């Protein structure tokens, strides 16, 4: 099933614990009916779980718990106040004046007779004169409305209802992606700090995050014993006939070699080329073309190890004028030989 960006953002916020109660219940329902969505939530929890390893537990201050208790008490008191108002008995109706009594008029009793009759000797009683500024005691009268309502008022157009569902949905999506961006930024910062500590200060990390120790194997080659400074070596380069064609001498101090032509004569348009052949080298190495004069000197052996120089076979091939064009022998060797020591090294002076 393909999930939208909103589903993935919900999974990330659920792993962070920033969802409300309704959205959290929605995510838990989706996880119960959709195993693939549950795997997405678990993947986010695994990615963001690294943050828990970088943060230690912090004990809240005592004032925090006191503020929580005070807020709970205030909320409970505010909820009990409306309940008391609803539970109070209704007030008794106000007394109705005598002038609004609809029952039959009672006959005047004896006590309601004129005062002149009761006390004739007292003379007539004068009625009290009201003060000029006093308002007369007049009971209020309520007259019901009997005329028809105003048509303009009844037919007044109602205010249009604005649909703000899209705005609320967009605000929720922006808030969700802002939370996801903050979480990814925090994760990137944590990974950067972890990587820096692994490189520069690995002992400050927990054991699970420390990099594995690097083991580097260094192979140290012991150089072969160099040629003695005063030793001299000679190689007789001869063919199948047995007669020497060239004599090659090597100075042990400088590793310069000299080739002396003895009985070899090059063909017209051809040249003799000297090669160094050793099982320690992947291919034969050219030591240059042997010149037309009787002696040819070269300093080319200084770049080779003494072990290679001592154990190599030196061969001569017939190549085109100027030597092999590709750096490899183009024909089989016609003369070859190996070095032998002719002058032993001088004893060390005490």
């Amino acid at each position: 099933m393909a999930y939208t960006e909103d589903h993935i953002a919900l999974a990330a916020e659920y792993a962070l614990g920033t969802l409300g109660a309704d959205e959290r219940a929605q995510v838990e329902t989706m996880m119960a009916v959709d195993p693939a969505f549950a795997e997405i939530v678990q993947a986010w929890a695994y990615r963001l779980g690294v943050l828990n390893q970088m943060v230690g537990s912090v004990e809240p201050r005592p004032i925090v718990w006191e503020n929580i208790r005070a807020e709970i008490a205030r909320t409970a008191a505010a909820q009990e106040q409306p309940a008391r108002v609803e539970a109070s008995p209704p007030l008794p109706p106000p007394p109705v004046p005598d002038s609004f009594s609809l029952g039959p008029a009672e006959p005047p009793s004896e006590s309601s007779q004129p005062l002149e009759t009761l006390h004739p000797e007292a003379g007539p009683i004068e009625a009290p004169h009201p003060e000029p500024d006093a308002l007369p005691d007049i009971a209020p009268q309520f007259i019901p409305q009997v005329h028809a309502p105003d048509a303009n008022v009844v037919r007044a157009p109602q205010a249009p209802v604005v649909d703000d569902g899209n705005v609320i949905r967009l605000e929720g999506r922006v808030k969700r992606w802002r939370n996801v961006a903050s979480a990814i930024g925090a994760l990137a910062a944590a990974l950067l700090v972890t990587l820096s500590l692994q490189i520069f200060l690995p002992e400050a990390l927990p054991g699970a995050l420390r990099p594995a120790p690097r083991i580097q194997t260094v192979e140290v080659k012991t150089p072969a014993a160099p040629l003695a400074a005063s030793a001299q070596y000679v190689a007789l380069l001869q063919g199948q006939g047995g007669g020497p064609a060239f004599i090659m001498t090597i100075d042990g101090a400088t590793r310069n070699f000299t080739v002396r032509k003895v009985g070899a004569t090059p063909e017209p348009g051809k040249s003799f080329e000297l090669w160094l052949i050793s099982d320690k080298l992947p291919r034969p190495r050219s030591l240059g073309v042997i010149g037309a004069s009787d002696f040819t000197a070269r300093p080319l052996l200084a770049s080779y190890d003494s072990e290679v120089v001592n154990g190599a076979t030196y061969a001569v091939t017939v190549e085109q004028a100027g030597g092999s064009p590709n750096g490899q022998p183009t024909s089989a060797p016609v003369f070859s030989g190996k070095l032998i020591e002719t002058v032993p090294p001088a004893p060390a002076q005490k």
Side-chain angles (χ1 to χ4, degrees), residues 101-121:
S101 177
L102 301 178
E106 297 181 358
S109 60
E110 295 179 359
S111 60
S112 63
Q113 294 181 1
L115 296 177
E116 293 86 352
T117 307
L118 295 177
H119 303 281
E121 68 280 1

Side-chain angles (χ1 to χ4, degrees), residues 258-271:
T258 302
V259 178
R260 167 70 183 269
K261 186 184 302 183
V262 178
T265 302
E267 300 177 5
K270 300 292 184 178
S271 298

Side-chain angles (χ1 to χ4, degrees), residues 237 245-248 257-262 264 266 270-275 286-298 315-317 322-323 335:
L237 307 181
F246 298 95
I247 298 176
M248 179 180 178
F257 71 89
T258 302
V259 178
R260 167 70 183 269
K261 186 184 302 183
V262 178
K270 300 292 184 178
S271 298
F272 289 121
E273 188 167 356
L274 181 63
W275 301 88
S286 175
L287 298 180
V289 176
I290 299 176
S293 60
D294 293 338
F295 294 92
T296 301
R298 296 281 191 276
V316 176
T317 60
F335 307 108

Side-chain angles (χ1 to χ4, degrees), residues 53-138:
Q53 301 180 2
M54 302 297 299
V55 180
S57 59
V58 178
E59 184 69 21
R61 296 177 299 173
I63 189 63
V64 177
W65 297 112
E66 295 179 2
N67 293 339
I68 293 175
R69 295 190 187 96
E71 183 66 19
I72 293 175
R74 187 186 65 79
T75 305
Q79 293 177 354
E80 292 178 359
Q81 188 66 22
R84 293 178 181 176
V85 174
E86 293 178 359
S88 61
L91 298 176
V96 181
D98 295 341
S99 59
F100 290 94
S101 177
L102 301 178
E106 297 181 358
S109 60
E110 295 179 359
S111 60
S112 63
Q113 294 181 1
L115 296 177
E116 293 86 352
T117 307
L118 295 177
H119 303 281
E121 68 280 1
I125 300 176
E126 295 181 357
H129 298 281
E131 295 296 332
D133 295 336
L135 297 176
D137 188 7
I138 301 176

